[in-house]
PDB file of all heavy atoms in Angstrom:
ATOM      1  N   ARG A   1     -20.153  12.499  -2.325  1.00 43.00           N
ATOM      2  CA  ARG A   1     -18.976  12.843  -1.523  1.00 43.00           C
ATOM      3  C   ARG A   1     -18.543  11.650  -0.672  1.00 43.00           C
ATOM      4  O   ARG A   1     -17.361  11.392  -0.503  1.00 43.00           O
ATOM      5  CB  ARG A   1     -19.289  14.044  -0.634  1.00 43.00           C
ATOM      6  CG  ARG A   1     -18.112  14.458   0.231  1.00 43.00           C
ATOM      7  CD  ARG A   1     -18.457  15.656   1.091  1.00 43.00           C
ATOM      8  NE  ARG A   1     -18.763  16.814   0.242  1.00 43.00           N
ATOM      9  CZ  ARG A   1     -19.157  18.000   0.740  1.00 43.00           C
ATOM     10  NH1 ARG A   1     -19.308  18.156   2.053  1.00 43.00           N
ATOM     11  NH2 ARG A   1     -19.410  19.010  -0.070  1.00 43.00           N
ATOM     12  N   ARG A   2     -19.536  10.906  -0.109  1.00 44.00           N
ATOM     13  CA  ARG A   2     -19.187   9.753   0.734  1.00 44.00           C
ATOM     14  C   ARG A   2     -18.445   8.707  -0.077  1.00 44.00           C
ATOM     15  O   ARG A   2     -17.459   8.145   0.377  1.00 44.00           O
ATOM     16  CB  ARG A   2     -20.462   9.178   1.334  1.00 44.00           C
ATOM     17  CG  ARG A   2     -20.203   8.001   2.283  1.00 44.00           C
ATOM     18  CD  ARG A   2     -21.487   7.418   2.811  1.00 44.00           C
ATOM     19  NE  ARG A   2     -22.284   8.451   3.498  1.00 44.00           N
ATOM     20  CZ  ARG A   2     -23.573   8.316   3.805  1.00 44.00           C
ATOM     21  NH1 ARG A   2     -24.234   7.214   3.449  1.00 44.00           N
ATOM     22  NH2 ARG A   2     -24.216   9.272   4.450  1.00 44.00           N
ATOM     23  N   TRP A   3     -18.954   8.412  -1.266  1.00 43.00           N
ATOM     24  CA  TRP A   3     -18.278   7.391  -2.108  1.00 43.00           C
ATOM     25  C   TRP A   3     -16.874   7.856  -2.523  1.00 43.00           C
ATOM     26  O   TRP A   3     -15.943   7.071  -2.610  1.00 43.00           O
ATOM     27  CB  TRP A   3     -19.122   7.096  -3.369  1.00 43.00           C
ATOM     28  CG  TRP A   3     -20.282   6.195  -3.069  1.00 43.00           C
ATOM     29  CD1 TRP A   3     -21.600   6.495  -3.083  1.00 43.00           C
ATOM     30  CD2 TRP A   3     -20.176   4.827  -2.685  1.00 43.00           C
ATOM     31  NE1 TRP A   3     -22.365   5.417  -2.727  1.00 43.00           N
ATOM     32  CE2 TRP A   3     -21.500   4.360  -2.482  1.00 43.00           C
ATOM     33  CE3 TRP A   3     -19.118   3.949  -2.504  1.00 43.00           C
ATOM     34  CZ2 TRP A   3     -21.770   3.054  -2.107  1.00 43.00           C
ATOM     35  CZ3 TRP A   3     -19.394   2.655  -2.131  1.00 43.00           C
ATOM     36  CH2 TRP A   3     -20.700   2.203  -1.929  1.00 43.00           C
ATOM     37  N   TRP A   4     -16.724   9.152  -2.740  1.00 41.00           N
ATOM     38  CA  TRP A   4     -15.403   9.701  -3.104  1.00 41.00           C
ATOM     39  C   TRP A   4     -14.405   9.524  -1.959  1.00 41.00           C
ATOM     40  O   TRP A   4     -13.262   9.148  -2.152  1.00 41.00           O
ATOM     41  CB  TRP A   4     -15.561  11.185  -3.435  1.00 41.00           C
ATOM     42  CG  TRP A   4     -14.262  11.809  -3.847  1.00 41.00           C
ATOM     43  CD1 TRP A   4     -13.700  11.811  -5.062  1.00 41.00           C
ATOM     44  CD2 TRP A   4     -13.382  12.547  -2.994  1.00 41.00           C
ATOM     45  NE1 TRP A   4     -12.511  12.484  -5.075  1.00 41.00           N
ATOM     46  CE2 TRP A   4     -12.285  12.946  -3.805  1.00 41.00           C
ATOM     47  CE3 TRP A   4     -13.418  12.907  -1.654  1.00 41.00           C
ATOM     48  CZ2 TRP A   4     -11.240  13.689  -3.286  1.00 41.00           C
ATOM     49  CZ3 TRP A   4     -12.376  13.647  -1.153  1.00 41.00           C
ATOM     50  CH2 TRP A   4     -11.290  14.021  -1.956  1.00 41.00           C
ATOM     51  N   LEU A   5     -14.886   9.737  -0.738  1.00 41.00           N
ATOM     52  CA  LEU A   5     -14.017   9.557   0.420  1.00 41.00           C
ATOM     53  C   LEU A   5     -13.629   8.089   0.608  1.00 41.00           C
ATOM     54  O   LEU A   5     -12.491   7.752   0.941  1.00 41.00           O
ATOM     55  CB  LEU A   5     -14.707  10.089   1.693  1.00 41.00           C
ATOM     56  CG  LEU A   5     -14.828  11.604   1.802  1.00 41.00           C
ATOM     57  CD1 LEU A   5     -15.706  11.985   2.987  1.00 41.00           C
ATOM     58  CD2 LEU A   5     -13.448  12.216   1.965  1.00 41.00           C
ATOM     59  N   ILE A   6     -14.602   7.218   0.406  1.00 43.00           N
ATOM     60  CA  ILE A   6     -14.328   5.782   0.542  1.00 43.00           C
ATOM     61  C   ILE A   6     -13.295   5.333  -0.478  1.00 43.00           C
ATOM     62  O   ILE A   6     -12.342   4.592  -0.179  1.00 43.00           O
ATOM     63  CB  ILE A   6     -15.627   4.968   0.382  1.00 43.00           C
ATOM     64  CG1 ILE A   6     -16.555   5.231   1.593  1.00 43.00           C
ATOM     65  CG2 ILE A   6     -15.320   3.466   0.258  1.00 43.00           C
ATOM     66  CD1 ILE A   6     -17.937   4.619   1.443  1.00 43.00           C
ATOM     67  N   ALA A   7     -13.438   5.795  -1.728  1.00 45.00           N
ATOM     68  CA  ALA A   7     -12.477   5.424  -2.776  1.00 45.00           C
ATOM     69  C   ALA A   7     -11.084   5.934  -2.451  1.00 45.00           C
ATOM     70  O   ALA A   7     -10.069   5.243  -2.646  1.00 45.00           O
ATOM     71  CB  ALA A   7     -12.944   5.997  -4.127  1.00 45.00           C
ATOM     72  N   LEU A   8     -11.013   7.172  -1.924  1.00 42.00           N
ATOM     73  CA  LEU A   8      -9.707   7.739  -1.572  1.00 42.00           C
ATOM     74  C   LEU A   8      -9.041   6.927  -0.470  1.00 42.00           C
ATOM     75  O   LEU A   8      -7.837   6.641  -0.517  1.00 42.00           O
ATOM     76  CB  LEU A   8      -9.894   9.197  -1.122  1.00 42.00           C
ATOM     77  CG  LEU A   8      -8.628   9.936  -0.677  1.00 42.00           C
ATOM     78  CD1 LEU A   8      -7.649  10.012  -1.844  1.00 42.00           C
ATOM     79  CD2 LEU A   8      -8.973  11.346  -0.186  1.00 42.00           C
ATOM     80  N   LEU A   9      -9.808   6.521   0.529  1.00 43.00           N
ATOM     81  CA  LEU A   9      -9.260   5.724   1.618  1.00 43.00           C
ATOM     82  C   LEU A   9      -8.758   4.372   1.125  1.00 43.00           C
ATOM     83  O   LEU A   9      -7.728   3.858   1.590  1.00 43.00           O
ATOM     84  CB  LEU A   9     -10.314   5.527   2.719  1.00 43.00           C
ATOM     85  CG  LEU A   9     -10.667   6.784   3.533  1.00 43.00           C
ATOM     86  CD1 LEU A   9     -11.867   6.523   4.439  1.00 43.00           C
ATOM     87  CD2 LEU A   9      -9.466   7.228   4.357  1.00 43.00           C
ATOM     88  N   LEU A  10      -9.487   3.769   0.191  1.00 44.00           N
ATOM     89  CA  LEU A  10      -9.061   2.487  -0.376  1.00 44.00           C
ATOM     90  C   LEU A  10      -7.732   2.620  -1.119  1.00 44.00           C
ATOM     91  O   LEU A  10      -6.838   1.767  -1.011  1.00 44.00           O
ATOM     92  CB  LEU A  10     -10.147   1.947  -1.329  1.00 44.00           C
ATOM     93  CG  LEU A  10     -11.391   1.361  -0.665  1.00 44.00           C
ATOM     94  CD1 LEU A  10     -12.460   1.050  -1.713  1.00 44.00           C
ATOM     95  CD2 LEU A  10     -11.021   0.084   0.094  1.00 44.00           C
ATOM     96  N   VAL A  11      -7.564   3.693  -1.868  1.00 41.00           N
ATOM     97  CA  VAL A  11      -6.312   3.918  -2.601  1.00 41.00           C
ATOM     98  C   VAL A  11      -5.155   4.077  -1.626  1.00 41.00           C
ATOM     99  O   VAL A  11      -4.082   3.497  -1.792  1.00 41.00           O
ATOM    100  CB  VAL A  11      -6.424   5.159  -3.509  1.00 41.00           C
ATOM    101  CG1 VAL A  11      -5.049   5.534  -4.073  1.00 41.00           C
ATOM    102  CG2 VAL A  11      -7.407   4.894  -4.630  1.00 41.00           C
ATOM    103  N   VAL A  12      -5.350   4.872  -0.574  1.00 39.00           N
ATOM    104  CA  VAL A  12      -4.303   5.079   0.420  1.00 39.00           C
ATOM    105  C   VAL A  12      -3.928   3.767   1.080  1.00 39.00           C
ATOM    106  O   VAL A  12      -2.757   3.467   1.308  1.00 39.00           O
ATOM    107  CB  VAL A  12      -4.763   6.113   1.476  1.00 39.00           C
ATOM    108  CG1 VAL A  12      -3.786   6.164   2.641  1.00 39.00           C
ATOM    109  CG2 VAL A  12      -4.923   7.476   0.835  1.00 39.00           C
ATOM    110  N   ALA A  13      -4.949   2.950   1.398  1.00 46.00           N
ATOM    111  CA  ALA A  13      -4.688   1.666   2.057  1.00 46.00           C
ATOM    112  C   ALA A  13      -3.883   0.741   1.161  1.00 46.00           C
ATOM    113  O   ALA A  13      -2.954   0.053   1.608  1.00 46.00           O
ATOM    114  CB  ALA A  13      -6.013   1.009   2.455  1.00 46.00           C
ATOM    115  N   LEU A  14      -4.227   0.708  -0.134  1.00 42.00           N
ATOM    116  CA  LEU A  14      -3.505  -0.170  -1.070  1.00 42.00           C
ATOM    117  C   LEU A  14      -2.061   0.268  -1.235  1.00 42.00           C
ATOM    118  O   LEU A  14      -1.137  -0.548  -1.278  1.00 42.00           O
ATOM    119  CB  LEU A  14      -4.224  -0.175  -2.430  1.00 42.00           C
ATOM    120  CG  LEU A  14      -5.572  -0.909  -2.471  1.00 42.00           C
ATOM    121  CD1 LEU A  14      -6.270  -0.669  -3.808  1.00 42.00           C
ATOM    122  CD2 LEU A  14      -5.347  -2.419  -2.259  1.00 42.00           C
ATOM    123  N   VAL A  15      -1.830   1.578  -1.339  1.00 41.00           N
ATOM    124  CA  VAL A  15      -0.465   2.083  -1.474  1.00 41.00           C
ATOM    125  C   VAL A  15       0.337   1.758  -0.231  1.00 41.00           C
ATOM    126  O   VAL A  15       1.490   1.325  -0.289  1.00 41.00           O
ATOM    127  CB  VAL A  15      -0.474   3.604  -1.738  1.00 41.00           C
ATOM    128  CG1 VAL A  15       0.949   4.164  -1.659  1.00 41.00           C
ATOM    129  CG2 VAL A  15      -1.091   3.902  -3.087  1.00 41.00           C
ATOM    130  N   GLY A  16      -0.276   1.949   0.935  1.00 45.00           N
ATOM    131  CA  GLY A  16       0.412   1.641   2.179  1.00 45.00           C
ATOM    132  C   GLY A  16       0.778   0.175   2.280  1.00 45.00           C
ATOM    133  O   GLY A  16       1.862  -0.192   2.745  1.00 45.00           O
ATOM    134  N   ALA A  17      -0.131  -0.695   1.851  1.00 43.00           N
ATOM    135  CA  ALA A  17       0.137  -2.134   1.899  1.00 43.00           C
ATOM    136  C   ALA A  17       1.287  -2.501   0.989  1.00 43.00           C
ATOM    137  O   ALA A  17       2.145  -3.332   1.326  1.00 43.00           O
ATOM    138  CB  ALA A  17      -1.133  -2.906   1.506  1.00 43.00           C
ATOM    139  N   ALA A  18       1.309  -1.881  -0.212  1.00 43.00           N
ATOM    140  CA  ALA A  18       2.395  -2.174  -1.145  1.00 43.00           C
ATOM    141  C   ALA A  18       3.727  -1.753  -0.568  1.00 43.00           C
ATOM    142  O   ALA A  18       4.733  -2.460  -0.659  1.00 43.00           O
ATOM    143  CB  ALA A  18       2.140  -1.462  -2.479  1.00 43.00           C
ATOM    144  N   CYS A  19       3.770  -0.539   0.054  1.00 44.00           N
ATOM    145  CA  CYS A  19       5.018  -0.077   0.667  1.00 44.00           C
ATOM    146  C   CYS A  19       5.427  -0.983   1.810  1.00 44.00           C
ATOM    147  O   CYS A  19       6.607  -1.269   2.011  1.00 44.00           O
ATOM    148  CB  CYS A  19       4.859   1.356   1.184  1.00 44.00           C
ATOM    149  SG  CYS A  19       4.647   2.572  -0.132  1.00 44.00           S
ATOM    150  N   GLY A  20       4.403  -1.443   2.557  1.00 45.00           N
ATOM    151  CA  GLY A  20       4.714  -2.356   3.657  1.00 45.00           C
ATOM    152  C   GLY A  20       5.312  -3.637   3.151  1.00 45.00           C
ATOM    153  O   GLY A  20       6.257  -4.177   3.743  1.00 45.00           O
ATOM    154  N   ASP A  21       4.820  -4.163   2.015  1.00 45.00           N
ATOM    155  CA  ASP A  21       5.387  -5.386   1.434  1.00 45.00           C
ATOM    156  C   ASP A  21       6.828  -5.168   1.040  1.00 45.00           C
ATOM    157  O   ASP A  21       7.690  -6.032   1.238  1.00 45.00           O
ATOM    158  CB  ASP A  21       4.561  -5.814   0.201  1.00 45.00           C
ATOM    159  CG  ASP A  21       3.191  -6.377   0.607  1.00 45.00           C
ATOM    160  OD1 ASP A  21       3.039  -6.713   1.810  1.00 45.00           O
ATOM    161  OD2 ASP A  21       2.306  -6.448  -0.262  1.00 45.00           O
ATOM    162  N   ASP A  22       7.134  -3.959   0.460  1.00 44.00           N
ATOM    163  CA  ASP A  22       8.507  -3.678   0.065  1.00 44.00           C
ATOM    164  C   ASP A  22       9.414  -3.667   1.272  1.00 44.00           C
ATOM    165  O   ASP A  22      10.529  -4.175   1.241  1.00 44.00           O
ATOM    166  CB  ASP A  22       8.583  -2.324  -0.660  1.00 44.00           C
ATOM    167  CG  ASP A  22       7.944  -2.399  -2.044  1.00 44.00           C
ATOM    168  OD1 ASP A  22       7.775  -3.543  -2.537  1.00 44.00           O
ATOM    169  OD2 ASP A  22       7.625  -1.334  -2.600  1.00 44.00           O
ATOM    170  N   ASP A  23       8.922  -3.050   2.365  1.00 43.00           N
ATOM    171  CA  ASP A  23       9.733  -2.982   3.573  1.00 43.00           C
ATOM    172  C   ASP A  23      10.006  -4.364   4.112  1.00 43.00           C
ATOM    173  O   ASP A  23      11.108  -4.674   4.556  1.00 43.00           O
ATOM    174  CB  ASP A  23       9.023  -2.139   4.648  1.00 43.00           C
ATOM    175  CG  ASP A  23       8.960  -0.658   4.265  1.00 43.00           C
ATOM    176  OD1 ASP A  23       9.750  -0.281   3.390  1.00 43.00           O
ATOM    177  OD2 ASP A  23       8.129   0.075   4.847  1.00 43.00           O
ATOM    178  N   ASP A  24       8.967  -5.233   4.067  1.00 43.00           N
ATOM    179  CA  ASP A  24       9.156  -6.594   4.561  1.00 43.00           C
ATOM    180  C   ASP A  24      10.168  -7.330   3.725  1.00 43.00           C
ATOM    181  O   ASP A  24      11.001  -8.086   4.239  1.00 43.00           O
ATOM    182  CB  ASP A  24       7.814  -7.354   4.547  1.00 43.00           C
ATOM    183  CG  ASP A  24       6.851  -6.814   5.617  1.00 43.00           C
ATOM    184  OD1 ASP A  24       7.337  -6.138   6.541  1.00 43.00           O
ATOM    185  OD2 ASP A  24       5.634  -7.076   5.496  1.00 43.00           O
ATOM    186  N   ASP A  25      10.093  -7.111   2.384  1.00 42.00           N
ATOM    187  CA  ASP A  25      11.046  -7.776   1.492  1.00 42.00           C
ATOM    188  C   ASP A  25      12.453  -7.319   1.798  1.00 42.00           C
ATOM    189  O   ASP A  25      13.395  -8.117   1.821  1.00 42.00           O
ATOM    190  CB  ASP A  25      10.713  -7.471   0.019  1.00 42.00           C
ATOM    191  CG  ASP A  25       9.469  -8.242  -0.434  1.00 42.00           C
ATOM    192  OD1 ASP A  25       9.104  -9.221   0.270  1.00 42.00           O
ATOM    193  OD2 ASP A  25       8.886  -7.851  -1.470  1.00 42.00           O
ATOM    194  N   ASP A  26      12.629  -5.996   2.018  1.00 42.00           N
ATOM    195  CA  ASP A  26      13.960  -5.485   2.319  1.00 42.00           C
ATOM    196  C   ASP A  26      14.481  -6.066   3.614  1.00 42.00           C
ATOM    197  O   ASP A  26      15.654  -6.422   3.728  1.00 42.00           O
ATOM    198  CB  ASP A  26      13.936  -3.951   2.414  1.00 42.00           C
ATOM    199  CG  ASP A  26      13.712  -3.305   1.060  1.00 42.00           C
ATOM    200  OD1 ASP A  26      13.930  -4.014   0.052  1.00 42.00           O
ATOM    201  OD2 ASP A  26      13.321  -2.118   1.012  1.00 42.00           O
ATOM    202  N   ALA A  27      13.616  -6.136   4.619  1.00 40.00           N
ATOM    203  CA  ALA A  27      14.059  -6.655   5.913  1.00 40.00           C
ATOM    204  C   ALA A  27      14.454  -8.102   5.813  1.00 40.00           C
ATOM    205  O   ALA A  27      15.343  -8.580   6.515  1.00 40.00           O
ATOM    206  CB  ALA A  27      12.940  -6.479   6.947  1.00 40.00           C
ATOM    207  N   ALA A  28      13.774  -8.845   4.941  1.00 41.00           N
ATOM    208  CA  ALA A  28      14.073 -10.270   4.796  1.00 41.00           C
ATOM    209  C   ALA A  28      15.242 -10.530   3.895  1.00 41.00           C
ATOM    210  O   ALA A  28      15.682 -11.662   3.739  1.00 41.00           O
ATOM    211  CB  ALA A  28      12.834 -10.997   4.244  1.00 41.00           C
ATOM    212  N   GLY A  29      15.773  -9.487   3.235  1.00 40.00           N
ATOM    213  CA  GLY A  29      16.925  -9.674   2.353  1.00 40.00           C
ATOM    214  C   GLY A  29      16.536 -10.120   0.969  1.00 40.00           C
ATOM    215  O   GLY A  29      17.356 -10.237   0.085  1.00 40.00           O
ATOM    216  N   GLN A  30      15.230 -10.421   0.709  1.00 42.00           N
ATOM    217  CA  GLN A  30      14.661 -10.730  -0.596  1.00 42.00           C
ATOM    218  C   GLN A  30      15.203 -12.003  -1.224  1.00 42.00           C
ATOM    219  O   GLN A  30      14.689 -12.456  -2.206  1.00 42.00           O
ATOM    220  CB  GLN A  30      14.855  -9.564  -1.571  1.00 42.00           C
ATOM    221  CG  GLN A  30      14.118  -8.307  -1.122  1.00 42.00           C
ATOM    222  CD  GLN A  30      14.130  -7.236  -2.178  1.00 42.00           C
ATOM    223  OE1 GLN A  30      14.258  -7.524  -3.358  1.00 42.00           O
ATOM    224  NE2 GLN A  30      13.999  -5.999  -1.763  1.00 42.00           N
ATOM    225  N   ASP A  31      16.270 -12.599  -0.705  1.00 43.00           N
ATOM    226  CA  ASP A  31      16.799 -13.857  -1.235  1.00 43.00           C
ATOM    227  C   ASP A  31      17.014 -13.803  -2.730  1.00 43.00           C
ATOM    228  O   ASP A  31      16.817 -14.790  -3.435  1.00 43.00           O
ATOM    229  CB  ASP A  31      15.861 -15.028  -0.924  1.00 43.00           C
ATOM    230  CG  ASP A  31      15.995 -15.484   0.513  1.00 43.00           C
ATOM    231  OD1 ASP A  31      17.064 -15.224   1.122  1.00 43.00           O
ATOM    232  OD2 ASP A  31      15.053 -16.087   1.011  1.00 43.00           O
ATOM    233  N   ASP A  32      17.369 -12.652  -3.267  1.00 43.00           N
ATOM    234  CA  ASP A  32      17.576 -12.545  -4.711  1.00 43.00           C
ATOM    235  C   ASP A  32      19.046 -12.481  -5.069  1.00 43.00           C
ATOM    236  O   ASP A  32      19.403 -12.250  -6.215  1.00 43.00           O
ATOM    237  CB  ASP A  32      16.840 -11.313  -5.256  1.00 43.00           C
ATOM    238  CG  ASP A  32      17.361 -10.018  -4.642  1.00 43.00           C
ATOM    239  OD1 ASP A  32      18.270 -10.088  -3.784  1.00 43.00           O
ATOM    240  OD2 ASP A  32      16.855  -8.945  -5.027  1.00 43.00           O
ATOM    241  N   GLY A  33      19.923 -12.685  -4.076  1.00 39.00           N
ATOM    242  CA  GLY A  33      21.357 -12.717  -4.355  1.00 39.00           C
ATOM    243  C   GLY A  33      21.994 -11.351  -4.432  1.00 39.00           C
ATOM    244  O   GLY A  33      23.188 -11.246  -4.683  1.00 39.00           O
ATOM    245  N   THR A  34      21.186 -10.291  -4.201  1.00 35.00           N
ATOM    246  CA  THR A  34      21.753  -8.956  -4.348  1.00 35.00           C
ATOM    247  C   THR A  34      22.351  -8.442  -3.044  1.00 35.00           C
ATOM    248  O   THR A  34      23.049  -7.454  -3.043  1.00 35.00           O
ATOM    249  CB  THR A  34      20.676  -7.970  -4.825  1.00 35.00           C
ATOM    250  OG1 THR A  34      19.608  -7.933  -3.856  1.00 35.00           O
ATOM    251  CG2 THR A  34      20.123  -8.395  -6.169  1.00 35.00           C
ATOM    252  N   GLU A  35      22.051  -9.096  -1.898  1.00 38.00           N
ATOM    253  CA  GLU A  35      22.559  -8.649  -0.620  1.00 38.00           C
ATOM    254  C   GLU A  35      23.262  -9.800   0.083  1.00 38.00           C
ATOM    255  O   GLU A  35      22.800 -10.927   0.043  1.00 38.00           O
ATOM    256  CB  GLU A  35      21.427  -8.120   0.263  1.00 38.00           C
ATOM    257  CG  GLU A  35      20.745  -6.886  -0.309  1.00 38.00           C
ATOM    258  CD  GLU A  35      19.686  -6.335   0.619  1.00 38.00           C
ATOM    259  OE1 GLU A  35      19.600  -6.811   1.761  1.00 38.00           O
ATOM    260  OE2 GLU A  35      18.954  -5.431   0.195  1.00 38.00           O
TER     261      GLU A  35
END
């Protein structure tokens, strides 16, 4: 059960980090010519 909880927390952390990167990219305008 402990290892299952640790794995779940790691997945949540990775998803959160990815969303945070997207937000940062949006805030920076992404420099891709679309905005």
Side-chain angles (χ1 to χ4, degrees):
R1 180 180 297 177
R2 182 183 303 165
W3 282 112
W4 181 84
L5 288 171
I6 291 172
L8 178 62
L9 290 171
L10 285 172
V11 170
V12 170
L14 289 172
V15 171
C19 293
D21 288 344
D22 289 342
D23 291 341
D24 290 342
D25 286 343
D26 290 342
Q30 297 189 25
D31 282 337
D32 62 359
T34 60
E35 296 183 9

